[in-house]
Amino acid sequence: MITPGFLYIAGALLLLLPINNKIKYILSFLITTGALIVTFYLMPGYRFQVDFLHFTLVPFQVDRISKLTGLIFAVAGLAAVIYSINICSRIILSLIFVFIGSALTVVFSGDLFTLYVFWELMTISSSFIIIMASDLTKKTGYYYFLMQVAGGLSLLWGIFLQYSATGNLSLNAIDAGIPFFMLGVAIKLAFVGFHTWLPLAYSKAPFYVAVVLSIYTTKVGVYVMCRLLSGINILAYAGLISALFGIVMALRQNQVRKFLSYSIITQVGFMIIGISIGTATGIAGAMFHLVNHILYKTVLFMAVGVVIYTTGKDSFENLGGMGRKLPVTSIATLVAFMGIAGVPFFNGYMSKTIIKEAIQEPLLTWGLNLMSFGTSLMFLKFIYYAFFKNSNMNLAKKPAISMQLGLGFLTVMMILIGLNPFLLGNLTNIDVDINYFDIKHMLSGIQPFLWSIPIFILFKKYLVKNYERLLYYDMYRKIAKIFVTTGYELSNYHDGNLNKYLLWATTTLIILLLLLVF
């Protein structure tokens, strides 16, 4: 039995061979479906252990949570590859396979060493995908790489501290170095304050790259948080703040992919809350929400990708007329909208209901309802532009059949989970004792959506206006400029004058002596 991620990595190597398009299609289909089949038949409890140097490593371990996450990663990987196979080059597709394979290997890792190696391989492969996609995305790729490296170094330092304190690398709740683990995970899941890479990368990269990134990057952060940092209650309130920030920022966006990027921050907030509660119900709700979020957010990114592919533009104004000219994309968009809004009989309702059931604190319950209301409100903006606002949108070309197949596949998955919310639990033996279709839960699920409709109508002119000045401030660029400017100014003093160097050295010694004395 091998980790499904290794199939993707092997496929990436095969794609580097000089093969024609027909072989590329066949090979990609075999690898993606093979990984899905292998993941489906994995048995919770399986564990592969190996001795490496002085360490006991577990590079492959299966339990109910890892199988659930692995399944949705494999399903979404199949859909994403089908969607993009006619658009991206063979080299980019090979890097995408490495990225997906690394994410799957992280999910099934049983020790911190394996997790870290493939966490970093995700960073390297995804950075090269962005950098190599086009000349316009090189700077974006460098920025993304630096942010992810900062997170990786924090994670590595946390692993050092954990090993020093416990003497093992097992993948359990952390006892030491918690702040460093929190920082590493916060960057990966785009927590507010560490989120700046996400809207930048997802809006600048080609749309098919954004589809793949949206599936795995933040979700790996959520999964690792579930493994290492569950039950830290204060993080639930941090998740609430992050989610509300995402709503405010999304409502002020004019570019669709930036809008979707900020909405990811909001949806991750739901998952943070569930994990931070720490109960079996809360964690199950968070991980089910991870599954549902991958489904409807990937569909929305794919739908926007279809619009970009057919019109060449990425703004809300270009969504208009979708219902008339792109029927398949329109149906998928409506299903995804109802899912993300948490409307009963759609997939998002199921996981949000579980998280609400797990919450015991009134403030968090109130915050969760506000988050659901804000989510519905901002996606009404999306729907308004897509179906109700008049537009002169013209299709320069028809969407590729493969794009519609990938889109349709995930839409069917959303509908199945919405109609049968016990499906995910039955597949992975994660039991949640909730009657999803009783009056209490259905009213709780639909109320935020119903309240958002009149509010949107009343404040439509503010919600759909073109904001010239956006609430965007990147402190990391400011800090970088300060360092560069300071270094440049200091370099002016390095002119070879010995007396000046002696003065600098003497002054520094006097300051150090004063600090020691006082």
Side-chain angles (χ1 to χ4, degrees), residues 318-331:
N318 276 77
L319 290 178
M322 181 189 285
R324 297 187 300 275
K325 299 179 181 180
L326 297 168
V328 174
T329 306
S330 301
I331 294 170

Side-chain angles (χ1 to χ4, degrees), residues 296-360:
Y296 52 60
K297 190 53 61 70
T298 304
V299 165
L300 289 169
F301 267 102
M302 285 180 171
V304 171
V306 169
V307 173
I308 296 171
Y309 181 79
T310 54
T311 66
K313 296 181 180 178
D314 179 18
S315 67
F316 275 102
E317 295 293 339
N318 276 77
L319 290 178
M322 181 189 285
R324 297 187 300 275
K325 299 179 181 180
L326 297 168
V328 174
T329 306
S330 301
I331 294 170
T333 300
L334 286 172
V335 173
F337 163 66
M338 300 300 274
I340 202 169
V343 175
F345 303 105
F346 292 88
N347 64 328
Y349 163 74
M350 165 257 199
S351 48
K352 288 183 181 181
T353 299
I354 299 173
I355 296 173
K356 284 181 183 178
E357 191 73 11
I359 293 175
Q360 302 297 324

